[in-house]
Amino acid sequence: MSENRNSRSCQQPSLLQPCTEGCDGSLLLDSTSSFESEKNARVNLNSVRGFEVVDQIKAEVDRVCGRPVVSCPDILAVAARDSVVAVKIYNTTNIDPAFAKEHRATCPRVGGNTNLAPFDPTPARFDTAYFQNLVKKRGLFTSDQALFNGGSTDKLVKTYSLNPEAFWDDFAKSMIKMGNIKLLTGKKGQIRVNCRKLN
């Protein structure tokens, strides 16, 4: 991202996308004579932007893959994810200073686009270290650390950090719920060629 503002702008569309039957990236659509885009909704005016970043990423991914194989919402999610790390380690006070310093070495302000950083200290294991890190103000993403920041989810994060069995039980239930979501696949769904308009 060439400017810090785009970083925050790419995060917002990702968080606003409805995903009840698979994300459709509808916020990316431009208005037409018969369709009023969500971009123009009062709540989104002067708030969501950075759409040209999504366009550029989509064009490059489609070029490398030889055809459209990655959905617009997936591209938006990855752009938002990647942009939020830099914002947090350089501009947020709700982070352990030693943790931020460690990640600045991996994620410099300029360059380092191919560098990788694990989400938690146990990247090869599926465990509750993620929640333990949030309690220590070591959440890699701002949106993650918001889960433990004096709000309504603090109690749940603390519970999961201390009681892995509670997490496993809730995780199993949520996976069953997600498995019941009816995604649009095959001829029922589509990957847009251009994120700004319907195929």
Side-chain angles (χ1 to χ4, degrees), residues 27-46:
L27 184 64
L28 300 171
L29 293 171
D30 286 338
S31 293
T32 67
S33 59
S34 61
F35 170 77
E36 183 67 24
S37 171
E38 294 174 48
K39 290 178 187 176
N40 299 330
R42 182 181 298 165
V43 70
N44 293 331
L45 289 178
N46 300 316

Side-chain angles (χ1 to χ4, degrees), residues 5 15 33 69 86 92-93 105 107 114 123 129 157 164 170:
R5 188 179 74 186
L15 298 174
S33 59
V69 294
T92 305
T93 57
C107 303
T114 59
V157 169
D170 286 350

Side-chain angles (χ1 to χ4, degrees), residues 39-60:
K39 290 178 187 176
N40 299 330
R42 182 181 298 165
V43 70
N44 293 331
L45 289 178
N46 300 316
S47 172
V48 293
R49 52 188 176 265
F51 298 106
E52 66 283 348
V53 174
V54 175
D55 294 340
Q56 292 166 3
I57 295 169
K58 172 79 169 143
E60 182 62 14

Side-chain angles (χ1 to χ4, degrees), residues 92-196:
T92 305
T93 57
N94 186 21
I95 188 170
D96 174 63
F99 180 75
K101 182 179 179 183
E102 173 188 335
H103 281 81
R104 284 186 202 121
T106 306
C107 303
R109 284 190 189 270
V110 178
N113 293 337
T114 59
N115 297 351
L116 301 175
F119 289 115
D120 64 54
T122 57
R125 286 199 318 262
F126 187 56
D127 56 21
T128 56
Y130 168 83
F131 299 104
Q132 294 162 5
N133 269 5
L134 294 181
V135 171
K136 297 174 188 173
K137 293 189 176 184
R138 291 178 156 245
L140 190 57
F141 298 131
T142 304
S143 56
D144 290 336
Q145 194 59 57
L147 295 172
F148 192 80
N149 193 31
S152 62
T153 55
D154 282 11
K155 183 178 178 183
L156 188 59
V157 169
K158 188 78 166 175
T159 297
Y160 289 162
S161 74
L162 297 172
N163 184 352
E165 291 304 317
F167 169 73
W168 295 123
D169 185 53
D170 286 350
F171 180 78
K173 291 174 185 171
S174 68
M175 291 306 292
I176 290 169
K177 285 182 180 179
M178 282 183 29
N180 290 328
I181 295 173
K182 305 295 185 220
L183 296 178
L184 301 176
T185 60
K187 295 191 185 290
K188 293 180 182 176
Q190 63 175 260
I191 294 177
R192 289 202 301 269
V193 175
N194 180 334
C195 292
R196 293 177 179 259

Side-chain angles (χ1 to χ4, degrees), residues 6-16 80 83-84 87 142:
N6 275 350
S7 171
R8 287 186 294 277
S9 299
C10 280
Q11 295 164 33
Q12 284 182 302
S14 179
L15 298 174
L16 296 172
S83 68
V84 79
V87 171
T142 304

